[in-house]
Amino acid sequence: VTCGDLWGFVGICGDVWGGEVYRARDAKLNRDVAIKVLPGHLAREPAALERFEREAQAVAALSHPNILAIHDFGTAEGVVYSVTELLDGETLSAKLSGQSLPARKAVEYALQIVHGIAAAHQKGVVHRDLKPDNIFVTPDGRVKILDFGLAKATGPAGDGTATQIGPGTSPGTVMGTVGYMSPEQVRGLPVDHRTDIFSFGVVLYEMLAGLRPFRGDSHVETMNAILKEDPPEFSASGVTVPAALDRIVRRCLEKNADERFYSAHDLGLALESISGSSASGQSAASMAVGASPSARRRATPWLLAAAGAAAIAAAAFFAGHRLAGPAASEAPAYHRLTFRRGTIFSARYAGDGKTIVYSARWDDEPRRLYSTREESPDSLALAFPDADVTSISASGELALIMNRRQLRAYAQVGTLARASLSGGAAREVLDDVQDADWLPDGSGFAAARYVDGRYRLEFPVGTTVYETGGYISDVRVSPDGALVAFFDHAFMGDDRGSVAVVDRAGKKRTLTDEFSSAQGLAWTKDGREIWFTGADRGGARALHVVTPAGKLRTVARAPGSLHLGDVGADGSVLFWQENSRTGITGRARGESANRDLSWFDWSTNPRISDDGKTLIFTEEGDGGGPEYSVYLRTMDGGPPVRLGSGLGTAVSPDGKWVLTVRLNPAPAQFVLLPTGAGEAKVVTNDGLAHGMGTFSADGTHIIFSAFAPDRQPRVYLQDLAGGDPKPLTPEGVVGPLSPDGTLVASGGKLYPTDGGAPRPIPGFEPDDLVAGWTADSRDLYLLRRLPSGESQVFRLDATGTRTLLHQIARVPGTTAGVWFSITPDGSAYAMTYSVAQADLFRVTGLK
């Protein structure tokens, strides 16, 4: 067999998946690979060829350590082939050979399988043929999922859609492997991602028992068992399985897809919660603090199982948090308060210490306020849509931020309003507020506001005690009313920040070093400590405590991210545990559909080159420590390449350099990273804190936003050959510069760079965001986000006439992000999206 000069075959490895597999040497990249060749007689069969191509396309859409990686696919001299990574080891089927695995080893393999299928489901790919023959185990225990030949592309998991069996089939057609099919597959019905969860349950059962749960003397009898019989007890196979693990297996194997785990992500959380105790046989029930008897009576069995798993996870988060080892009776007690899929934005205790008010977006519903109590598993929706609760007075009056609008990532302002918890309409108080807190006597507020392009802290409202060119969040007044604590963020668009306090005379003190993901802050009732959540050393967001004197300690860490909501008068802590990710979706020039361009779990700030071929983005999810990482990839979905550390902001016109902000040490400075061979070049080294930037059309200058200490941000022009930066706009005015260098678009106005008077942008509306300019500097691109979650991109000309260019559908199960980039000709774009799963807890006993 010959597939061209690139590959030198070493020998045949096997004949699987309907094709021959060869071991080969990649001469260009100096690595061993596997080449799967579709034999000629199969290549002439449309069904076999379609399956071969479908597998290559499905795997190419994925990039995950637990999924076999594909490097190439094509046809050479009439031979159809695919090139994949070369694996050493054996299939799970061979490893089992009719024998069971220890529970701990089975859970270890199961977690890796679930991570792989969760990644596939996130990309909208359903495997549909999960079985031990299609799971490979390497000598070092790594698991790889193989054979996506029956895979089907559909919407991302959880979007509520079902998919037909596949091209060339119709409802009533049975496809899959008998013994591992889901009931809906057996019946020939449409399937979605939950069919993989059933098949996974069969595999997990087999790993634990050594036998499949559904067996018969014929295919018909086996399929009948899948449809009608419950899986046998593990004791019938002579093995003992922990009760918590048994419940997970049986929930996977529910006949009704609606009664299985909602997603592979939820299944993974349940497995992770028992991974430390599965070998010992300790059950979830013995480890968890359960709900009240009345709550148990109202909850469904699967809900109790989920609550038990979450309780175990929370117990693990807080185990060992004390500096001195406490007695077992002093361990923290916790209670899960929410049980739905979605995102939580804020949470506060009411004055009685029992009622909790929180803001959330559950499932695909709009954001709104809810109230709940610990003894109830239910939440009551309040009559305040699109609102966050920032404070509740002693008399039960709510302080709300309503109708938020985005300035930059994390910088979001809205209207401060007050409303009674007992009912009635909200009364608006103040515009352009990020956060606010009641004064202890309920007479007014302290608030962080965005005024004239700059954030300021007013304490009380009307008296400015601090200003910054960055932004201010999490404003909380001390119980004695003498101080305001807050997060001081140096860079608008990044949630790194330090805990600071300021008094009524404007004396500010910074209490901590900078933390990443600085979100969530509250005083204790006695005013002696400030509790907050933030990430240090590049880790996940953890719970910390600092005193007004600056003494710092860490209370708890978690594998996910903790977000502090409030600290109660009794010392209890209100927090939510969050598993979230940010991704990138985009459309290349000439294409009619979006593709996912994400990499790790926090891909953000996409920037497209002017020719629309290259995308740079910043990755916060690669464990890179104190700095972020800049990646480059082609818009056709080519593999990302890490260029270096920092926040990438623009690609040079010749494509050779990426303008990058190095955030540490402060103030942030610009560096040029080469896209090919070469060394990084420092561009700026001055007293300005530099923000987003781009290149001039000829590549000789950079245009960027920055601010000097205690001054407002503005737009600057910097010659790359050297010299001092030249201000182009008044202080407080930032926005994109026209390619001809004459105008800056900011806040619905056009500011001439020669110092002339600003003028309104014809046709600009309050909900518009300026996304860029056309190459001729005549028209603007505007982005508008709709309540439905969709986004619209318009071209606005000098007369105020707008033309709709793109209607961008919401990625199912996600929220449209804040970063957006578009090419000068408007043909290609990229934008971020976010997805989160959060659970609200009340915890007592933390010290």
Side-chain angles (χ1 to χ4, degrees), residues 602-772:
W602 210 262
S603 304
T604 187
N605 193 29
R607 295 290 171 227
I608 304 179
S609 60
D610 287 351
D611 61 10
K613 297 179 180 180
T614 303
L615 175 75
I616 61 165
F617 61 93
T618 301
E619 182 58 61
E620 301 179 36
D622 60 354
E627 280 283 1
Y628 304 143
S629 295
V630 182
Y631 283 84
L632 178 146
R633 75 186 310 172
T634 54
M635 282 293 292
D636 61 5
V641 177
R642 186 179 185 275
L643 302 181
S645 61
L647 180 71
T649 70
V651 182
S652 64
D654 61 9
K656 295 181 178 180
W657 299 96
V658 169
L659 184 64
T660 302
V661 182
R662 287 278 174 85
L663 300 175
N664 290 316
Q669 301 293 324
F670 280 122
V671 174
L672 291 176
L673 297 179
T675 59
E679 299 292 331
K681 298 179 180 180
V682 176
V683 177
T684 61
N685 186 20
D686 52 38
L688 295 176
H690 297 75
M692 299 301 295
T694 188
F695 289 90
S696 61
D698 60 7
T700 62
H701 293 72
I702 56 173
I703 302 98
F704 58 90
S705 62
F707 62 90
D710 300 322
R711 304 303 295 264
Q712 297 186 50
R714 63 200 306 183
V715 178
Y716 290 86
L717 177 72
Q718 172 76 58
D719 191 333
L720 289 176
D724 295 330
K726 175 187 175 182
L728 297 181
T729 65
E731 289 188 12
V733 176
V734 294
L737 177 70
S738 60
D740 63 10
T742 62
L743 294 170
V744 169
S746 176
K749 294 181 180 180
L750 296 175
Y751 291 82
T753 56
D754 61 5
R759 62 180 186 270
I761 300 174
F764 187 89
E765 298 178 5
D767 291 334
D768 292 333
L769 295 173
V770 178

Side-chain angles (χ1 to χ4, degrees), residues 791-824:
S791 299
Q792 294 177 324
V793 182
F794 296 92
R795 181 167 178 160
L796 182 69
D797 66 20
T799 68
T801 301
R802 60 175 60 209
T803 303
L804 179 63
L805 295 183
H806 304 288
Q807 183 87 16
I808 306 174
R810 180 178 64 86
V811 178
T814 72
T815 301
V818 299
W819 298 104
F820 180 82
S821 179
I822 190 167
T823 54

Side-chain angles (χ1 to χ4, degrees), residues 281-302:
Q282 188 174 11
S283 72
S286 67
M287 298 174 65
V289 178
S292 65
S294 60
R296 290 193 188 98
R297 285 193 297 270
R298 288 191 294 269
T300 61
W302 70 263

